[in-house]
Amino acid sequence: MFTPSTVGKALDNIHLLLWDFWLTLVNLIMPRRKVGAVVPVGSAGYAGKWPEYIEPKEGDSRSCCPGLNALANHGILPRDGRNIKFTDMAEKVHTTYNFAPTFCRFVPTYAANMLGRSYKTDTIDLAELNLHNGIEHDASLLRQDAHFQSDQSKPDLPLIRDFLSFATGKDATDKTLILTPADLSRFSAKRRADSAAHNPEYTLDYFHKMFGSANSSTLLCIFGGRVDDLETFLMEERIREGWEPKALEHSGITFVKFNRTAVAVEKGIKEDLPEFEREVKEGGGGTSPV
C-alpha cells in the first residue's frame, strides 16, 4: 500500500536521479577542476593543506567507514564523532572527496531512513552506522565480519595489508603500485569465500554485494587506487598532507560515472574461483580470524 511517506521517498529518488543525470551532462560540458585546487577555496584541505590529525580518544564515536572517520580525525566533522547533522555530513563529504552532491545526499539519507530519522533535521553519531546489515555488512574488505569483530569502528590492519598486497597496477609516472578494478574483484571474491566458509552467521544479499562493490570503488574513483595514499587512509584513517581527490569532474563523481566502476567490480567477482576455494579448504585463506 502506498503511503505519504513511501510516495515522498519515491519522488525524492526520482528527483535525485534527474539531478544526477543533469550533473553528468554538466561534467561533460564544463572544464575539469585544476590539479591543486580540487577542494574548493575556503574548505578544509584546499591545496592539500589538511587540518591537524588527532587519533580518536576513548569515548569518541567512530564508524565502519574510513572516509567519515578520517573527517572526524581531522576535525572536518566534529572530532568526537557525535551529534553530526546529516546535512553537514553530506556537505563535508562533497567538499573533501569531490563526490557529486547527489551521491552525498543519497548515503546520509539512506542512513537517516535506516535509523528512522529525518535527513533534514536530525543528527547521528558515527558509531550508529555500524548497525549490522544496514550499511555495515559481511565480507568487508577492511573489517572482519561482525560475528568475529564486535567493534566495527576499528580497521583490521592485517586484513588491510592483505588487501593492498593484491595491487597489480603501476602508475605510469612514478611506478607507484595501484589497485585496479580486477584487483578489487579478486580480493572481494576471496573475502566472500572466506566469510562463507568460516562465519556461521554469514549473510550477503544482492543489495549488500552491490553496496560493498560500490564502497570499494571509491578507492578507485577518489584515490586512483594508489597504494601509498590508501595505506595511510585505510590503516590510520588519516589524509596525507598534500593529497587531494583524483576525481577532477566539475560537479564531482556522479552516480552515472560511479556506478559504471561499481558494476564492473561486481561483475568481476567470481566467488567460485578454484584458488580461493582451495585456500579456504586448506585453511590458508589469510583473512579469516579463525
Side-chain angles (χ1 to χ4, degrees), residues 215-231:
N215 284 340
S216 64
S217 294
T218 64
L219 307 181
L220 303 179
C221 295
I222 305 301
F223 285 85
R226 289 181 61 97
V227 170
D228 54 355
D229 289 332
L230 288 172
E231 184 173 24

Side-chain angles (χ1 to χ4, degrees), residues 40-164:
V41 176
S43 297
Y46 173 71
K49 300 183 184 299
W50 296 97
E52 181 184 9
Y53 167 83
I54 299 177
E55 292 185 3
K57 63 180 184 299
E58 186 176 354
D60 287 348
S61 184
R62 293 294 185 267
S63 74
C64 54
C65 173
L68 294 177
N69 291 349
L71 294 185
N73 291 340
H74 283 278
I76 299 169
L77 289 175
R79 288 193 183 274
D80 65 0
R82 298 185 181 278
N83 298 312
I84 301 169
K85 291 183 178 179
F86 289 104
T87 51
D88 287 347
M89 179 184 291
E91 178 189 356
K92 299 304 183 185
V93 169
H94 171 58
T95 58
T96 301
Y97 300 118
N98 197 27
F99 274 111
T102 45
F103 182 93
C104 299
R105 170 72 179 267
F106 173 79
V107 177
T109 298
Y110 175 84
N113 292 336
M114 176 182 77
L115 298 170
R117 297 178 192 166
S118 166
Y119 166 80
K120 294 181 179 179
T121 60
D122 287 338
T123 64
I124 185 174
D125 294 349
L126 290 181
E128 293 180 286
L129 294 173
N130 297 335
L131 177 68
H132 184 52
N133 281 338
I135 288 176
E136 183 276 331
H137 56 83
D138 286 337
S140 162
L141 307 190
L142 310 176
R143 268 79 167 159
Q144 296 291 349
D145 295 354
H147 177 79
F148 302 111
Q149 181 180 342
S150 59
D151 185 0
Q152 290 289 311
S153 67
K154 295 181 180 180
D156 186 288
L157 302 188
L159 182 60
I160 292 171
R161 291 190 189 98
D162 191 24
F163 169 47
L164 296 178

